[in-house]
Amino acid sequence: MPNPSPIAVIVLAAGKGTRMRSDFAKVLHRAAGRSLLGHVLHATKAAGPERTVVISGPDMQEVGTEAKRVVPEAVIAIQEKRQGTGHAVSIAKDGLEGFEGTVLVLYGDVPLIRSETIRALADAVSEESPLAVLGFRAVNPTGYGRLIQDRQGKLIAIREELDTTVDERRIDLCNSGFIAVRAKLLWELLPKIRNDNAKGEYYLTDLVGLTVAAGLKVALAECPEAEVHGVNTRAQLAQIESLLQIRYRHNAMNNGATLIDPSSVFLSADTEIGKDVTIEPHVVIGPDVVIGDNVDILAFSHIEGAKIADGVRIGPFARLRPGAEIGRNVHIGNFVEVKKAKIGEGAKANHLTYIGDASVGPRSNIGAGTITCNYDGYEKHFTEIGADVFVGSNTALVAPVKVGDAANIAAGSVITKDVPKDALAIARGQQAVKDGWARKYRELKAAKKRKDKGA
Ligand code: UD1
Ligand code: CA
């Protein structure tokens, strides 16, 4: 039975993350192009929270900014002094004023958590069991809080590692730290948590014992250990990255993309890939990329912030930067860079080209070595190329400049003035031809050489 109770989310993210050795808060570090906090907040979206409160630390302004980027209505509460997970949750109380449903407490540095698991945890809460804990079986339980069950298997307490007995330390059922709890019970029990433990902290985990003492049940939801891996070090961040990549590559393949060598293709959390897409080895796809159907992305291409329509061919060795909008059936070839530019249906830029701050009309052909000179050292300027235009090789288009439909630009031109529709523009030095010049020059040089030797 799905839980009809409305959901609120509290994300604990006040940890500095000293072991990251970074000037940035831990939860702002990225995996698969998304902040750790972003991963957690995205996973909560499926539960449709009515409210979200993020607990941040002092001097961690960017944590709030990032939270609001993902969940604009999120409330940011600052925990001035770190006094434990129970204390951190109490900081969220004002932000949840008047909320009467189920509160989910999550950590901001656990990015692999899946929305299905969050949903299942929320659904485990009922009238009978107003508190549910997310547990997992640990290969090596050292360091985790242990879930203590009675003989009937009912959850009766969570014991932190430092407070466990030798017997309890053998338990491999561990606490992920994520809980779901009815708001009423949470605010009732939270003030009862004391800090008389090995660390002198207010442990959120004490809620379990307090709930049982109040004569109520605690439900247990379980998830695979892999989903609750936290990030404390850069090495763990790299592990998270590779686990996320495996997940996203599988999703892409399940949705109908061919990855010839999945292990060398890097995707982002928000990458959208259509079907019958082929991605060759050594391709990096950064954030904010949408790829249509029947697209081929050839080896060694780097793509970020780009929209790629159906039937497009990219690469090998192509670079698409933010604002690249590649129309249907376009070909972008080797050593071509496109930034903030719209490329019309069927247009081609096959070799060695930079197209930035520009639009290219349908079916136009951009010759090898064409450059839009968009920057004058101070400002960016726009180049507008119409439909069916032929741009000869090694053309420099000095922006701002417009090229009309079906115009033709001679190779090697430096275009500084607008080119009208159907016109030919040639802007290069006139060719002079001097008959016999090369032969005479050769003979002159040969004579000099003979003279020098003889001397
Ligand atoms: C916590 C759990 C433990 C569980 C483990 C799983 C408690 C008492 N213990 O232990 O049972 O097995 O997580 O990883 O809850 N935080 C704050 N403010 C604080 C303290 C913590 O925001 O005052 C945040 C941290 O930034 C972190 C999370 O809460 O994201 C967990 O805190 P941490 O100190 O890592 O808890 P553990 O000792 O690992
Ligand atoms: Ca921890």
Side-chain angles (χ1 to χ4, degrees):
M1 260 287 284
N3 190 330
S5 170
I7 303 286
V9 167
I10 301 174
V11 180
L12 305 190
K16 265 237 159 60
T18 324
R19 281 182 284 162
M20 295 295 281
R21 299 196 186 283
S22 172
D23 288 340
F24 306 99
K26 177 164 73 178
V27 296
L28 297 179
H29 286 266
R30 289 172 178 275
R34 180 178 278 169
S35 69
L36 302 180
L37 179 61
H39 280 286
V40 175
L41 288 173
H42 270 279
T44 65
K45 279 186 175 172
E50 275 184 9
R51 299 204 211 170
T52 299
V53 182
V54 174
I55 308 299
S56 173
D59 306 319
M60 285 168 50
Q61 188 116 42
E62 292 82 7
V63 171
T65 310
E66 171 66 358
K68 282 178 181 288
R69 206 180 54 78
V70 183
V71 180
E73 67 278 11
V75 172
I76 315 302
I78 310 293
Q79 186 190 23
E80 294 295 343
K81 211 170 147 255
R82 225 186 122 93
Q83 298 177 63
T85 46
H87 177 256
V89 167
S90 73
I91 305 290
K93 194 170 182 202
D94 287 350
L96 294 184
E97 180 78 62
F99 176 80
E100 289 180 346
T102 299
V103 178
L104 280 161
V105 179
L106 313 171
Y107 296 167
D109 60 352
V110 182
L112 297 179
I113 192 75
R114 289 178 321 129
S115 43
E116 292 85 341
T117 303
I118 290 176
R119 198 60 260 182
L121 176 62
D123 288 348
V125 166
S126 65
E127 218 46 64
E128 230 197 350
S129 314
L131 170 65
V133 169
L134 182 65
F136 64 99
R137 300 271 169 195
V139 174
N140 173 11
T142 309
Y144 290 115
R146 308 297 206 282
L147 300 187
I148 313 290
Q149 293 163 295
D150 69 8
R151 290 216 182 86
Q152 286 81 49
K154 276 192 290 186
L155 211 53
I156 49 172
I158 299 180
R159 202 94 71 226
E160 290 309 298
E161 168 104 355
L162 288 175
D163 303 306
T164 48
T165 64
V166 178
D167 279 349
E168 287 170 343
R169 228 163 288 163
R170 286 196 204 103
I171 297 170
D172 70 346
L173 185 60
C174 294
N175 177 30
S176 69
F178 292 12
I179 62 163
V181 56
R182 286 279 154 88
K184 192 166 162 290
L185 184 74
L186 176 65
W187 306 127
E188 202 176 287
L189 297 186
L190 213 49
K192 297 191 180 164
I193 292 178
R194 303 217 310 268
N195 63 349
D196 53 352
N197 49 51
K199 269 192 172 173
E201 286 190 353
Y202 296 91
Y203 289 165
L204 184 65
T205 46
D206 285 356
L207 275 189
V208 172
L210 290 168
T211 301
V212 171
L216 297 160
K217 279 194 198 154
V218 180
L220 171 66
E222 267 191 70
C223 74
E225 182 172 15
E227 273 189 56
V228 292
H229 280 315
V231 176
N232 296 306
T233 63
R234 304 258 183 179
Q236 286 169 343
L237 184 65
Q239 274 168 3
I240 295 288
E241 176 78 43
S242 70
L243 290 169
L244 285 171
Q245 290 302 338
I246 289 168
R247 192 187 281 181
Y248 299 144
R249 290 165 188 151
H250 273 279
N251 288 347
M253 291 188 280
N254 284 340
N255 291 334
T258 294
L259 273 53
I260 293 173
D261 172 19
S263 67
S264 73
V265 172
F266 288 79
L267 304 171
S268 286
D270 63 356
T271 305
E272 288 177 34
I273 304 178
K275 66 172 162 33
D276 294 316
V277 168
T278 297
I279 305 182
E280 289 192 348
H282 304 290
V283 168
V284 175
I285 298 180
D288 201 19
V289 172
V290 179
I291 300 170
D293 297 336
N294 296 303
V295 170
D296 288 335
I297 299 181
L298 309 192
F300 298 101
S301 293
H302 191 284
I303 301 171
E304 57 187 327
K307 286 201 169 58
I308 301 171
D310 298 348
V312 167
R313 196 179 73 206
I314 305 286
F317 298 99
R319 178 161 187 220
L320 302 183
R321 291 170 53 202
E325 283 184 45
I326 313 299
R328 292 166 68 95
N329 304 324
V330 164
H331 291 181
I332 300 291
N334 38 242
F335 307 107
V336 173
E337 174 179 347
V338 180
K339 182 216 80 167
K340 218 174 176 185
K342 220 180 194 150
I343 313 295
E345 179 164 353
K348 293 189 174 81
N350 275 327
H351 339 260
L352 300 155
T353 284
Y354 173 64
I355 304 173
D357 300 295
S359 66
V360 174
R363 299 171 302 279
S364 287
N365 191 311
I366 309 296
T370 297
I371 305 288
T372 55
C373 309
N374 59 329
Y375 187 51
D376 59 13
Y378 298 91
E379 283 171 280
K380 300 283 171 65
H381 302 282
F382 197 79
T383 300
E384 189 182 322
I385 299 171
D388 301 298
V389 170
F390 180 88
V391 179
S393 295
N394 201 32
T395 292
L397 295 150
V398 182
V401 73
K402 277 185 200 175
V403 181
D405 291 346
N408 197 315
I409 296 176
S413 291
V414 177
I415 299 297
T416 53
K417 289 186 224 130
D418 290 355
V419 180
K421 179 175 190 286
D422 291 323
L424 167 71
I426 309 181
R428 62 189 183 207
Q430 286 277 341
Q431 181 169 330
V433 175
K434 298 182 180 176
D435 274 330
W437 186 96
R439 183 173 37 80
K440 274 182 222 156
Y441 184 68
R442 211 161 47 234
E443 286 166 3
L444 198 76
K445 287 292 181 193
K448 185 171 184 291
K449 213 172 184 179
R450 279 197 301 273
K451 197 178 149 219
D452 290 352
K453 265 193 192 161

